[in-house]
Amino acid sequence: NQMTKKMNLVIDVHYSNDDVAIAAGISFSNWLSDSIEDKHIVKIDGVAPYKPGSFFERELPCILALLEAIEEKPQTIVIDGYVTLGAEKRDGLGAHLYRALDSKISIIGVAKNKFTGTPLDFEILRGKSKNPLFVTSIGIDNTIAKNLILSMHGNNRIPTLIKSVDRVCRDAIT
């Protein structure tokens, strides 16, 4: 009777030529580790143009295309961006993703830039950085989500695996 490790996924999406996207995911089971268990890359053509205020309309189909290509469904997905926006917690990319996945997979959003009105309790400082990351979540308590991101490998502001998925995306575009 094998203990099954719960797989988690860090996802990022990069765009080239405005209508082509690369969605990448890195699978990991240990939040403290820097080891990449699997890499997933999907190229998406005919991506919707960016519309201010509706970023999710462009990004969500790319993330869903990536998830379709991954057999094992993750327990938690970490996205580059917000789950909810501002103090009133309007739906951000992560909330739309959560509902698209039938509210079955926890989503943690890690954003590098402050969205206007983001409450202080969504901020974390990692390493020696004076610049916060902004952690929002759905399907998982936000304090737990912040502690998971704080616990992730790496001495810098951006955890190692989040940096890695960004690099995988960029390398796949060129």
Side-chain angles (χ1 to χ4, degrees), residues 31 75-77 83-84 89 98 105-109 121-122 124 135-150:
W31 287 90
Q75 176 182 359
T76 306
I77 296 173
V83 172
T84 55
K89 296 187 174 178
Y98 184 69
I105 299 173
S106 301
I107 312 292
I108 299 175
D121 60 341
F122 291 116
I124 61 169
V135 178
T136 50
S137 63
I138 192 166
I140 180 173
D141 179 81
N142 209 68
T143 302
I144 293 169
K146 288 193 312 191
N147 286 329
L148 286 171
I149 301 305
L150 283 168

Side-chain angles (χ1 to χ4, degrees), residues 11-13 34 43 48-50 54 60 76 83 104 106 109 112 116 122-123 128 131 149 153-154 158 163 165 172:
I11 292 178
D12 202 0
V13 180
D34 65 343
K43 181 179 178 213
Y50 171 71
S54 299
L60 187 59
T76 306
V83 172
K104 290 188 172 110
S106 301
K112 297 172 203 80
T116 310
F122 291 116
E123 295 183 13
K128 295 185 171 82
N131 295 322
I149 301 305
H153 182 275
I158 312 293
K163 256 200 186 110
V165 77

Side-chain angles (χ1 to χ4, degrees), residues 1-173:
N1 192 9
Q2 264 186 310
M3 279 271 301
T4 54
K5 289 194 295 190
K6 288 293 187 188
M7 191 263 289
N8 304 294
L9 196 62
V10 182
I11 292 178
D12 202 0
V13 180
H14 283 279
Y15 302 90
S16 69
N17 303 329
D18 271 353
D19 65 341
V20 176
I22 298 289
I26 287 180
S27 304
F28 67 100
S29 54
N30 181 349
W31 287 90
L32 309 176
S33 171
D34 65 343
S35 84
I36 295 170
E37 290 169 25
D38 216 344
K39 278 186 205 171
H40 315 273
I41 299 171
V42 174
K43 181 179 178 213
I44 303 103
D45 292 306
V47 177
Y50 171 71
K51 281 196 301 217
S54 299
F55 171 66
F56 75 93
E57 289 176 10
R58 182 174 208 210
E59 192 107 337
L60 187 59
C62 301
I63 292 174
L64 293 174
L66 175 70
L67 291 172
E68 251 170 55
I70 300 172
E71 242 173 80
E72 187 187 353
K73 292 304 163 225
Q75 176 182 359
T76 306
I77 296 173
V78 178
I79 60 162
D80 174 16
Y82 282 90
V83 172
T84 55
L85 300 168
E88 60 284 352
K89 296 187 174 178
R90 284 179 294 131
D91 285 356
L93 172 63
H96 289 285
L97 176 60
Y98 184 69
R99 277 198 293 287
L101 300 173
D102 298 326
S103 308
K104 290 188 172 110
I105 299 173
S106 301
I107 312 292
I108 299 175
V110 178
K112 297 172 203 80
N113 300 312
K114 183 170 185 152
F115 183 84
T116 310
T118 300
L120 276 175
D121 60 341
F122 291 116
E123 295 183 13
I124 61 169
L125 289 173
R126 279 183 43 93
K128 295 185 171 82
S129 180
K130 302 272 186 275
N131 295 322
L133 291 173
F134 304 91
V135 178
T136 50
S137 63
I138 192 166
I140 180 173
D141 179 81
N142 209 68
T143 302
I144 293 169
K146 288 193 312 191
N147 286 329
L148 286 171
I149 301 305
L150 283 168
S151 76
M152 287 180 83
H153 182 275
N155 299 324
N156 301 317
R157 178 176 179 232
I158 312 293
T160 305
L161 291 179
I162 294 177
K163 256 200 186 110
S164 298
V165 77
D166 179 71
R167 198 164 38 251
V168 168
C169 256
R170 288 175 195 277
D171 292 352
I173 280 182

